[in-house]
Amino acid sequence: MKKFFLFMVIGAASIFSVNAQSKDIVGVAAGSADHSTLVAAVKAADLVGTLQGAGPFTVFAPTNAAFGKLPSGTVDGLLKPEAKPALTKILTYHVVAGKLDAAAVVKAIQAGGGKAVLSTVSGGKLTASLDGGKVKLTDENGGTSWVTATDLKATNGVIHVIDSVVLPK
């Protein structure tokens, strides 16, 4: 298991700036060209200050390609001022209070008999499981996302990159 996660972190090194460990969650995400949609959404939802706070936070960060999987026009609609409550709920659904590195997530899955239910900042639940040696997140609607890079450390938490946007009920 550890070899898989180590590989994923090394693969992510080219995505994020080398000095990521000296930046907060927002700074790390802003240093990634693959997360410009996420950063724009965080700004539109006025969550920059929150995610720059002391934390710690665990963020499951969708890539631009993940946002691109949503139905046409969804992202543009969510970035409008009148959609701020919905956007905030979606973004905070990707955040778990506390610092859960990859080893802690795997340990929780194993302790839960193959599943770990994570409480998100939005008040929803995400279910983490292992499938083929990879961590899969299942949202409250049955949608799934795969963790593609792990343990991207920030001064106030950790980021795990995911390949799809997870959605609350």
Side-chain angles (χ1 to χ4, degrees), residues 30-160:
S32 166
D34 288 332
H35 288 86
S36 58
T37 303
L38 176 62
V39 172
V42 166
K43 289 177 181 176
D46 288 329
L47 290 173
V48 171
T50 301
L51 292 175
Q52 288 178 327
F57 305 107
T58 299
V59 176
F60 294 98
T63 61
N64 295 342
F67 281 103
K69 292 179 181 180
L70 294 171
S72 180
T74 301
V75 173
D76 290 337
L78 286 170
L79 293 176
K80 292 181 179 176
E82 60 270 19
K84 184 176 172 182
L87 178 62
T88 300
K89 184 174 182 178
I90 291 169
L91 291 175
T92 57
Y93 189 66
H94 288 78
V95 181
V96 174
K99 186 177 181 181
L100 297 173
D101 63 11
V105 172
V106 171
K107 185 176 180 179
I109 292 168
Q110 292 168 339
K115 292 184 181 179
V117 178
L118 307 174
S119 296
T120 69
V121 171
S122 74
K125 304 285 185 200
L126 275 174
T127 301
S129 60
L130 288 174
D131 189 344
K134 296 180 183 179
V135 173
K136 177 172 72 172
L137 298 177
T138 303
D139 65 25
E140 296 169 328
N141 304 298
T144 60
S145 182
W146 296 93
V147 175
T148 60
T150 63
D151 293 344
L152 302 164
K153 293 181 171 90
T155 56
N156 60 344
V158 63
I159 297 173
H160 304 297

